[in-house]
Amino acid sequence: GAGVSQSPRYKVAKRGQDVALRCDPISGHVSLFWYQQALGQGPEFLTYFQNEAQLDKSGLPSDRFFAERPEGSVSTLKIQRTQQEDSAVYLCASSLLSVGQGLYGYTFGSGTRLTVV
Amino acid sequence: AQSVTQLGSHVSVSEGALVLLRCNYSSSVPPYLFWYVQYPNQGLQLLLKYTSAATLVKGINGFEAEFKKSETSFHLTKPSAHMSDAAEYFCAVSDQDSSASKIIFGSGTRLSIRP
């Protein structure tokens, strides 16, 4: 597609429920990033994929968070046993290159707003 | 570790006035620097980026930023504010040297425009 697509746009989950958030990056983009943006804050890095390889997951806040990109295109961020502090906008971004992404920056999706009640 | 600090969580200017949003960075290696804009319920859009080619960087919508190494700053400016500039602005930094360099964002500055 022309841009990064995320679904669903909005998700309300009951505390303790598992959720799965999907990201469709721009076709051919090698790098894929997930960020978490709490209300009134800047995006916080969660994890990074280069093709199907998860090269950095240092930002995942707990072992309840899991991300995958099995075929090097679509990615899914899964949150198990959701808690209220997980409420945030989850942003996905992709980049054409595997190195020097800074030269181009990223292209961001519109995000998924997760509300845990 | 890299970081950016945005001074002022909220800036309000009159339409037609100068816009100045401040950003200071910390990096032990040559940085890439970015400004992104976020409109309500939307993702982040790249305004401009510094990649060491020129210290004065021009971006979209009339914005520009100047990289000042001596001051470790990358402030965003626009000579004349428009109502449509009202949004959240994020300064960000990444590492030029790393092969898998993530972008680190500041906490953001909300820009309001008074009629």
Side-chain angles (χ1 to χ4, degrees):
Chain A
V4 177
S5 177
Q6 293 187 246
S7 60
R9 283 299 309 275
Y10 303 94
K11 176 68 178 178
V12 178
K14 292 184 178 179
R15 190 169 51 184
Q17 184 180 353
D18 297 349
V19 298
L21 312 180
R22 177 186 170 102
C23 174
D24 278 275
I26 293 174
S27 179
H29 276 201
V30 171
S31 298
L32 186 146
F33 301 81
W34 282 99
Y35 283 81
Q36 180 191 58
Q37 186 176 19
L39 187 63
Q41 300 295 318
E44 297 278 348
F45 170 80
L46 292 177
T47 187
Y48 160 65
F49 289 86
Q50 181 179 315
N51 295 310
E52 69 279 4
Q54 189 174 20
L55 298 186
D56 187 345
K57 54 182 180 179
S58 62
L60 296 177
S62 77
D63 59 7
R64 296 187 296 104
F65 286 71
F66 172 76
E68 60 183 6
R69 194 187 185 197
E71 298 179 358
S73 55
V74 172
S75 178
T76 303
L77 176 67
K78 298 179 180 178
I79 309 174
Q80 297 177 326
R81 304 181 304 281
T82 52
Q83 300 177 6
Q84 283 192 316
E85 60 262 32
D86 300 334
S87 295
V89 175
Y90 291 85
L91 294 166
C92 176
S94 70
S95 177
L96 178 62
L97 302 178
S98 61
V99 296
Q101 298 98 331
L103 283 175
Y104 297 94
Y106 308 160
T107 301
F108 279 85
S110 298
T112 293
R113 182 178 297 276
L114 173 65
T115 303
V116 181
V117 298
Chain B
Q2 297 175 304
S3 66
V4 289
T5 301
Q6 293 185 241
L7 302 175
S9 59
H10 182 211
V11 169
S12 179
V13 303
S14 298
E15 191 174 18
L18 171 72
V19 175
L20 171 61
L21 305 183
R22 299 179 186 273
C23 173
N24 287 88
Y25 70 91
S26 172
S27 179
S28 58
V29 297
Y32 292 137
L33 292 161
F34 308 85
W35 278 98
Y36 280 84
V37 62
Q38 187 176 36
Y39 298 99
N41 298 316
Q42 295 188 24
L44 295 155
Q45 180 182 5
L46 182 65
L47 270 181
L48 50 80
K49 59 183 182 284
Y50 165 75
T51 59
S52 75
T55 57
L56 182 61
V57 181
K58 294 187 183 298
I60 62 172
N61 301 338
F63 284 93
E64 63 182 36
E66 186 172 9
F67 173 71
K68 292 187 177 180
K69 185 177 179 180
S70 61
E71 299 176 8
T72 61
S73 69
F74 191 58
H75 302 329
L76 181 71
T77 61
K78 181 174 180 177
S80 177
H82 294 170
M83 296 300 293
S84 61
D85 295 327
E88 190 87 19
Y89 291 80
F90 294 95
C91 182
V93 63
S94 100
D95 175 359
Q96 282 193 26
D97 294 337
S98 170
S99 64
S101 52
K102 53 184 176 279
I103 292 180
I104 305 298
F105 288 87
S107 57
T109 298
R110 182 163 60 91
L111 176 63
S112 300
I113 312 297
R114 301 186 300 269

